[in-house]
């Protein structure tokens, strides 16, 4: 009888630890919650998921006294004419990803994706084309794109590539494979209305 009590006393901390870890793991309901937790979580984050900053090719450590940080994605993830970075906050899950691509010399198309943790929506916003110091949005953006042989379909493909391949795809490959493009948990992706076919 004493033998069993000793075994139970010895196994109890391990069992409690495992249940605690499982509880944290199951509480992450979508890939963005995993991503945020991988940087903002407690010590358990090192057991649950890989660090997000490592998954995007950054070796720089986020210091605890920094309220926010901007981390660029490595060139191994995006091509030479593209730039992608993430603005991360310590006290918020509403991170913003900023993307820009040069479509010609001095001509840049850009947009962002922000995670709305309250509504569980990964939303595209701030769609623009920059040319000679001027910024074009809406129909003017589409008109400008046409002069470079690009259209709404190209814009939609580019937007989907950024989300599915660069942001989420990189996380599924280098961070955590618990979720996938077919299983985003309780998160939805919402594209800018400009790129939706009318």
């Amino acid at each position: 009888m004493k033998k069993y009590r000793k075994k139970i006393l010895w196994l109890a901390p391990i069992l409690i630890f495992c249940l605690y870890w499982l509880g944290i793991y199951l509480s992450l309901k979508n890939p963005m919650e995993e991503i945020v937790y991988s940087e903002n979580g407690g010590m358990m984050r090192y057991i649950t998921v890989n660090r997000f900053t490592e998954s995007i090719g950054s070796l720089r450590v986020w210091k605890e006294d920094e309220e926010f940080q901007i981390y660029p994605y490595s060139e191994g993830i995006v091509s030479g004419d593209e730039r992608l970075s993430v603005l991360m906050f310590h006290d918020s899950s509403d991170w913003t990803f900023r993307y820009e691509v040069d479509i010609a010399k001095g001509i840049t198309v850009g947009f962002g994706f922000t995670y709305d943790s309250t509504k569980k929506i990964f939303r595209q916003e701030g769609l623009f084309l920059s040319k000679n110091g001027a910024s074009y949005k809406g129909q003017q953006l589409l008109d400008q794109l046409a002069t470079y042989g690009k259209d709404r379909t190209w814009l939609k493909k580019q937007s989907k590539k950024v989300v599915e391949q660069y942001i989420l795809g990189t996380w599924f490959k280098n961070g955590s494979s618990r979720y996938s493009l077919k299983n985003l948990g309780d998160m939805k992706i919402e594209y800018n209305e400009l790129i939706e076919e009318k």
Side-chain angles (χ1 to χ4, degrees):
M1 193 68 165
K2 285 183 181 180
K3 247 185 187 180
Y4 291 118
R5 280 187 189 162
K6 282 183 182 179
K7 281 185 181 178
I8 290 170
L9 287 174
W10 184 77
L11 288 173
I14 295 171
L15 183 61
I16 290 168
F17 174 81
C18 290
L19 289 172
Y20 178 66
W21 175 84
L22 185 63
I24 288 174
Y25 186 70
L26 294 176
S27 72
L28 305 173
K29 302 294 186 188
N30 64 57
M32 274 308 298
E33 287 187 1
E34 283 187 333
I35 287 170
V36 172
Y37 181 77
S38 76
E39 292 295 331
N40 287 349
M43 292 303 291
M44 291 298 292
R45 70 183 177 206
Y46 299 114
I47 298 169
T48 312
V49 291
N50 293 331
R51 278 185 52 234
F52 172 71
T53 47
E54 286 178 5
S55 77
I56 64 172
S58 175
L59 300 175
R60 193 162 55 90
V61 177
W62 189 355
K63 296 175 184 173
E64 294 299 321
D65 61 342
E66 296 172 328
E67 291 183 25
F68 68 89
Q69 270 304 322
I70 298 174
Y71 286 86
Y73 276 65
S74 71
E75 286 185 14
I77 296 171
V78 296
S79 66
D81 59 347
E82 298 174 295
R83 294 164 299 283
L84 178 62
S85 60
V86 56
L87 173 61
M88 309 187 308
F89 300 93
H90 257 312
D91 59 349
S92 172
S93 300
D94 299 342
W95 291 7
T96 298
F97 295 78
R98 176 81 173 175
Y99 173 79
E100 291 183 346
V101 59
D102 299 325
I103 61 170
K105 188 174 181 180
I107 315 298
T108 301
V109 173
F111 50 80
F113 277 92
T114 298
Y115 179 59
D116 182 335
S117 59
T118 304
K119 296 181 179 177
K120 311 287 185 188
I121 296 174
F122 199 49
R123 181 179 294 116
Q124 185 181 28
E125 50 194 29
L127 201 53
F128 71 92
L129 181 143
S130 176
K131 176 181 178 182
N132 299 326
S135 187
Y136 300 91
K137 297 180 179 180
Q139 186 58 46
Q140 288 183 328
L141 183 158
L142 294 175
D143 294 342
Q144 288 292 323
L145 272 181
T147 64
Y148 300 97
K150 302 188 185 305
D151 58 10
R152 190 190 315 265
T153 302
W154 175 86
L155 206 50
K156 185 168 189 171
K157 284 181 182 175
Q158 204 68 16
S159 300
K160 288 177 79 64
K161 179 174 83 169
V162 169
V163 172
E164 295 178 5
Q165 184 180 329
Y166 294 165
I167 299 174
L168 295 177
T170 298
W171 176 247
F172 299 146
K173 181 181 175 185
N174 301 333
S176 169
S177 58
R178 178 182 174 201
Y179 292 104
S180 67
L181 292 173
K182 292 182 178 178
N183 173 23
L184 294 174
D186 64 1
M187 184 179 86
K188 290 187 171 84
I189 300 171
E190 190 177 278
Y191 293 97
N192 189 291
E193 59 183 16
L194 184 67
I195 71 169
E196 298 298 340
E197 297 296 337
K198 299 187 179 182

